[in-house]
Amino acid sequence: MSKSTKFVRGFESICLHGGYLPDATTSRGVPLYRTAPYVFDSSEKAASLFGLKELGNIYSRLMNPTQDVLEKRFSMMEGAAASLAVSSGTAAAFYSVINVAEQGDNIISARNLYGGTYTQFNDILPKFGITTKFVDICDPKKVTAAIDDKTKAIFCETVSNPAME
């Protein structure tokens, strides 16, 4: 059992305390690190971090200690190896697609989506060479019929917007 999970057991405890152990301040609450840059012990340490030879805080757009706790907490709750927190659902949808599909591939998507996600799939992904087949996600036969050898993902929203299907 890792140090961060040693004393955190049970789903409710994970929700409240997972991914964080009190630091020298002994505060039980997760600190909010409102910073963008970080200090490096040496130029060698900075080079190692920026070269991804070791993990650590480089710049808040890439990693932040507060965000790290959130990601660890979600991983613990879901039993996952890792998690990634992003700024919006649209960003999450984009990362999901570009990590499994590339130029020439396609995804299948529910036809009823949040407007921003629809625009991303219909207008932006084609600029990367990734196409989307919009189907009635509630009809498994239509979903199956849309799958081909270039299909990399099937996407739907838990509760669609705007139709609430």
Side-chain angles (χ1 to χ4, degrees):
M1 188 174 283
S2 73
K3 183 179 177 184
S4 66
T5 61
K6 185 176 181 181
F7 301 108
V8 180
R9 297 189 184 111
F11 188 77
E12 292 83 1
S13 293
I14 290 171
C15 291
L16 293 172
H17 304 296
Y20 176 72
L21 288 175
D23 57 17
T25 66
T26 68
S27 171
R28 188 65 220 150
V30 178
L32 296 177
Y33 292 95
R34 300 182 327 162
T35 186
Y38 295 89
V39 176
F40 305 108
D41 295 334
S42 65
S43 57
E44 292 81 14
K45 174 74 171 180
S48 181
L49 289 167
F50 278 94
L52 303 177
K53 293 178 181 166
E54 64 179 286
L55 294 177
N57 298 313
I58 300 171
Y59 190 69
S60 280
R61 288 184 187 168
L62 303 174
M63 183 177 175
N64 175 290
T66 306
Q67 180 176 334
D68 185 51
V69 171
L70 174 69
E71 292 168 343
K72 287 178 181 172
R73 192 166 289 173
F74 271 94
S75 295
M76 292 171 70
M77 288 189 298
E78 295 295 330
S83 298
L84 177 65
V86 294
S87 61
S88 70
T90 303
F94 184 73
Y95 280 142
S96 297
V97 172
I98 65 166
N99 276 286
V100 297
E102 58 188 33
Q103 187 173 18
D105 291 335
N106 69 69
I107 64 168
I108 296 168
S109 175
R111 64 179 183 213
N112 289 317
L113 297 172
Y114 162 70
T117 306
Y118 180 84
T119 299
Q120 180 182 109
F121 288 1
N122 192 62
D123 301 318
I124 298 170
L125 287 180
K127 293 177 183 179
F128 293 90
I130 301 168
T131 57
T132 303
K133 299 176 184 180
F134 294 99
V135 299
D136 177 357
I137 206 76
C138 297
D139 186 339
K141 289 180 182 177
K142 289 183 180 177
V143 174
T144 301
I147 297 172
D148 63 30
D149 62 333
K150 291 292 191 173
T151 302
K152 300 299 180 183
I154 299 171
F155 183 93
C156 66
E157 296 172 335
T158 305
V159 177
S160 72
N161 180 9
M164 302 295 285
E165 288 184 352

